[in-house]
Amino acid sequence: MKLTKMSHACVRLEKDGRTLVLDPGGFSEEDAALGADAILVTHEHPDHFDELRLRAAMENNPAAEIWTLRSVAEKISSAFPGRVHTVGHGDSFTAAGFDVQVHGELHAVIHPDIPRITNVGYLVDGGKVFHPGDALTVPDHPVETLMLPVMAPWSKISEVIDYVREVQPQRAYDIHDALLTDLARPIYDRQIGGLGGAEHLRLTPGASADL
């Protein structure tokens, strides 16, 4: 499997000539979802869900399909009848040849005064990759590669470190990093890498790794 990091929370997975894209939001490249055979969206926040990017991908490939939670599906399903699938915690499905399990139900707490929205994470190919969206969900399955939301208004670095410790992946790649400045990156790298207990890695947007 080939993993390509796009900007912020978006990643592309390629296997057997097919492409799965997760969370092509407004902080990601305009073409982040183009060429996708399947798209997964974790929740409705605009840095994860961008309707124009999804429409471009769906129009570019008439066979492409989307799997997402109800709040996102309601916004785009009428434009692509039969091609947008609603999923929730506990569901399993196959998308573009990838086996996917859905874990989690709620977005992390931003502030007690802000109502929590739904959020799901996707476990791909039996734990090869886990993308939690905007939550620190721990799936009930071993994880090889954790897509780690490294910096967000709803988290602090101690929580990120403890999340890596709890999931116990073989490796963790940074995502959700568009707001993390280059000045701060060495601090995050040192602390997460030194304390998380797993190999901590980072890809620049557009760079790839083989899993």
Side-chain angles (χ1 to χ4, degrees):
M1 184 188 302
K2 179 181 178 182
L3 164 71
T4 301
K5 168 76 165 65
M6 308 303 289
S7 293
H8 198 50
C10 180
V11 298
R12 296 173 66 98
L13 301 177
E14 298 173 62
K15 183 184 71 171
D16 299 332
R18 307 189 76 187
T19 300
L20 176 70
V21 176
L22 297 95
D23 278 4
F27 292 174
S28 301
E29 296 78 3
E30 289 188 8
D31 62 351
L34 288 184
D37 297 291
I39 302 168
L40 311 182
V41 180
T42 62
H43 65 288
E44 64 197 80
H45 282 162
D47 57 325
H48 297 256
F49 161 60
D50 182 84
E51 186 172 342
L52 292 179
R53 284 163 172 74
L54 293 185
R55 283 179 176 270
M58 297 289 275
E59 291 165 0
N60 175 259
N61 179 5
E65 298 178 77
I66 296 171
W67 281 262
T68 187
L69 37 66
R70 185 174 305 278
S71 59
V72 172
E74 289 174 346
K75 292 178 169 63
I76 197 167
S77 59
S78 62
F80 303 100
R83 298 170 62 192
V84 180
H85 312 282
T86 301
V87 297
H89 176 69
D91 288 341
S92 298
F93 57 92
T94 299
F98 295 84
D99 294 324
V100 183
Q101 296 176 352
V102 184
H103 292 265
E105 298 179 84
L106 291 172
H107 191 286
V109 175
I110 301 172
H111 186 276
D113 290 352
I114 300 175
R116 295 176 75 182
I117 62 169
T118 51
N119 175 97
V120 294
Y122 296 106
L123 187 76
V124 180
D125 278 357
K128 194 79 172 178
V129 174
F130 182 60
H131 189 308
D134 274 8
L136 301 180
T137 301
V138 179
D140 56 356
H141 195 288
V143 173
E144 290 185 27
T145 302
L146 174 65
M147 307 313 301
L148 179 65
V150 68
M151 188 273 185
W154 45 265
S155 73
K156 57 184 179 180
I157 196 167
S158 64
E159 295 170 335
V160 175
I161 292 167
D162 286 345
Y163 181 51
V164 177
R165 289 179 172 182
E166 191 170 3
V167 176
Q168 296 183 321
Q170 294 180 20
R171 67 192 69 86
Y173 277 98
D174 285 355
I175 58 168
H176 213 282
D177 55 357
L179 302 181
L180 187 63
T181 68
D182 289 340
L183 196 63
R185 284 188 184 277
I187 300 170
Y188 277 69
D189 290 344
R190 182 173 65 254
Q191 293 187 354
I192 297 171
L195 298 172
E199 184 180 16
H200 177 240
L201 302 161
R202 178 157 45 87
L203 292 171
T204 57
S208 300
D210 292 324
L211 302 180

